[in-house]
Amino acid sequence: MTSQAPALEILVREPDGFSVWSGPPYPPGSSPPQRLPKTPCSATYFSRDGSRLLVTVASVSATVYDCRTLSVVRSFDLPGLLAAALSPTGTFLQTFQKSSSPQEKNVTVWHVDTATALYQHYQKNMSKATWPMVQFSADESVACRMMTNEIQFFDPKDFTKGFGYKIRLPGIAAMQLASAPGSHVAGFVPETKGVPASVQIFSCDKDAQGQVVARRSFFRCSTVQFHWNKGSTGLLVIAQADVDKTNQSYYGETKLNYLTTDRAFEGMVPLKKDGPVHDVQWSYSGSEFAVVYGFMPARATIFNKKCNPLIELGEGPYNTIRWNPKGRFIVLAGFGNLPGDMAFWDYSEKKLIGKTKAECSVTSEWAPDGCHFMTATTAPRLQIDNGIKIFDHNGSLQFKKMFEKLYQVDWKPEAPERFGDITGLTTSLGSIKIEETKKQAQGSKSAQASGKAPANIAAKPTAYRPPQSKNSAELQDKLFGGLASTGGEMSKNALRNKKRREKQKEKKAADASGSPADDS
């Protein structure tokens, strides 16, 4: 007997705190039910599996909630708190605090349930690229951190022993641990003194002795973005350069590289259009990946694990791609400085199923059930028109709510396997639309069969013309000498100009023929 699918939940954070909503669907005209009343905070983060929620108050405290009951598991008083992060299953909490001297260890790994400090060290500063300091695999069986010229590995069962072994990688500037499973780790070494930049993949097995599993070198690269697939067999690397030497882009240059742990492929992804790589995402199965790339209008292509193109999704004003957790539906969107167009694709049927718009969206993500897609306009990126929109799998708008100011909106993570197949949902939605179409057709037939038509028949609607276009005909006549088409009767000026041109033609024809009327 299959267990019941979990209910969807949404975290909403406003200036005065956060709250947790029950997820869609919502009855028309109703407000979403709140599972947790508004609570003051500075930031909120779900653990990757959605079992726990981290709530922080800047420079004061960090509190961990149990997402099932929304009760407090543990609260930590942390003066000078700058950053905090939960491990994937919520067992460990990492914190970064202000430090006045190297002797004061400011990075701490805590055990959440016991509030015990398991490991501490000093870190001068941090950035988005280096936080969290300790990275965990999805099951928390592997833990590692980047240090000067090396990657250090810990035993998560006993952090008190310190790191157990390390991999030497001189000049390392960034790393990413594969999460499901945590079998490999990738490290990036920037370009220095004519030596090309490189990305190297190592096995996390202690007995591998730091041997390179795969390697890719390239010039003109200052930073990278890592994208591991599920199964940890393939790694996509977006190599970014601050300057585009071809002078085609103000924002620098990007290239997409692909490496596999079995060395079946090590090279650039064959993209068919020049320009930047806007977005890339693996499917949930880890067997395909989708890329949005090229100068506008951008192009979207899906590749298999062997880096062979499977399907082209066309071109358009897109810079974002979102693959739903079930692997069936794909959204192509143009957010940021683009107008917000969204195209919904059914990947299994290889067809476009809907188009819509979500202007000024800052964030976007599929719900864990794969049936709902949410976009949000949030501050501080945009200070006006903040709000949430939730769409169906085919792009139809289901819910919309505006806020005076909105900071964050997130689905509570859940394992997609806990939700049923969405084939039944799409079939039922299709049948509803068919029934509505039949009813409309029957209604039109009955209207035709019912006696005479009413006396006051509505006039056929004409094309909309803005108020400022009332005098456009006269303006076009002045600009184009009456050649512009008005789509209706000619204005007085146009008629006058037309008669004058006809007279001029007649006069020229008469002069050319030397008619007797001119000799008299």
Side-chain angles (χ1 to χ4, degrees), residues 81 148 159 331 388 397 404 410 412 435 468 471 483 517:
L81 179 66
T148 304
F159 272 96
V331 172
I388 299 171
L397 183 64
E404 185 176 344
D410 286 320
K412 183 172 83 70
E435 289 297 327
Q468 62 268 25
N471 300 322
L483 296 175

Side-chain angles (χ1 to χ4, degrees), residues 283-300:
S283 67
Y284 182 74
S285 65
S287 57
E288 308 99 354
F289 63 91
V291 190
V292 182
Y293 60 95
F295 297 111
M296 292 296 160
R299 191 167 187 169

Side-chain angles (χ1 to χ4, degrees), residues 19 104 126 153 238 243 262 311-312 363-364 369 460 502:
S19 57
E104 186 180 349
M126 67 139 191
F153 289 83
I238 300 179
V243 179
D262 60 359
I311 180 175
E312 295 286 346
T363 63
S364 60
D369 67 350
K460 184 178 180 181
E502 289 175 353

Side-chain angles (χ1 to χ4, degrees), residues 80-119:
L81 179 66
L82 296 177
L86 277 176
S87 60
T89 63
T91 306
F92 305 103
L93 170 67
Q94 284 184 72
T95 58
F96 182 92
Q97 296 169 268
K98 290 180 181 178
S99 178
S100 56
S101 66
Q103 288 73 31
E104 186 180 349
K105 296 179 179 179
N106 60 339
V107 176
T108 307
V109 177
W110 306 83
H111 193 281
V112 173
D113 292 333
T114 62
T116 305
L118 302 176
Y119 179 76

Side-chain angles (χ1 to χ4, degrees), residues 236-266:
L236 291 167
V237 183
I238 300 179
Q240 299 171 310
D242 295 332
V243 179
D244 182 5
K245 291 193 174 182
T246 63
N247 292 324
Q248 291 182 299
S249 174
Y250 174 80
Y251 300 100
E253 182 182 11
T254 57
K255 299 292 182 183
L256 183 61
N257 298 269
Y258 179 49
L259 299 87
T260 58
T261 54
D262 60 359
R263 293 198 171 186
F265 192 97
E266 293 179 8

Side-chain angles (χ1 to χ4, degrees), residues 63-228:
T63 304
V64 179
Y65 287 79
D66 184 327
C67 289
R68 185 175 58 86
T69 61
L70 290 178
S71 59
V72 175
V73 176
R74 188 70 61 181
S75 185
F76 299 81
D77 292 328
L78 300 166
L81 179 66
L82 296 177
L86 277 176
S87 60
T89 63
T91 306
F92 305 103
L93 170 67
Q94 284 184 72
T95 58
F96 182 92
Q97 296 169 268
K98 290 180 181 178
S99 178
S100 56
S101 66
Q103 288 73 31
E104 186 180 349
K105 296 179 179 179
N106 60 339
V107 176
T108 307
V109 177
W110 306 83
H111 193 281
V112 173
D113 292 333
T114 62
T116 305
L118 302 176
Y119 179 76
Q120 290 181 303
H121 73 270
Y122 170 76
Q123 190 76 25
K124 185 177 181 180
N125 49 39
M126 67 139 191
S127 64
K128 286 185 177 180
T130 60
W131 181 257
M133 304 294 183
V134 179
Q135 297 184 18
F136 291 87
S137 60
D139 59 1
E140 297 182 355
S141 62
V142 180
C144 62
R145 68 166 181 172
M146 181 183 70
M147 295 298 289
T148 304
N149 299 326
E150 63 187 28
I151 302 172
Q152 299 176 350
F153 289 83
F154 298 86
D155 179 4
K157 296 179 181 178
D158 191 359
F159 272 96
T160 58
K161 295 188 299 185
F163 70 90
Y165 60 100
K166 61 185 178 181
I167 295 174
R168 289 283 299 173
L169 186 57
I172 183 172
M175 74 158 205
Q176 184 65 53
L177 176 66
S179 62
S183 56
H184 295 83
V185 63
F188 167 66
V189 179
E191 180 181 353
T192 55
K193 298 180 180 178
V195 179
S198 65
V199 169
Q200 302 176 47
I201 298 178
F202 300 88
S203 172
C204 293
D205 189 356
K206 183 178 180 180
D207 300 328
Q209 298 297 325
Q211 294 181 355
V212 178
V213 174
R215 178 189 176 100
R216 173 72 176 162
S217 299
F218 30 74
F219 285 100
R220 299 203 307 272
C221 176
S222 53
T223 60
V224 294
Q225 296 178 29
F226 293 115
H227 298 270
W228 281 103

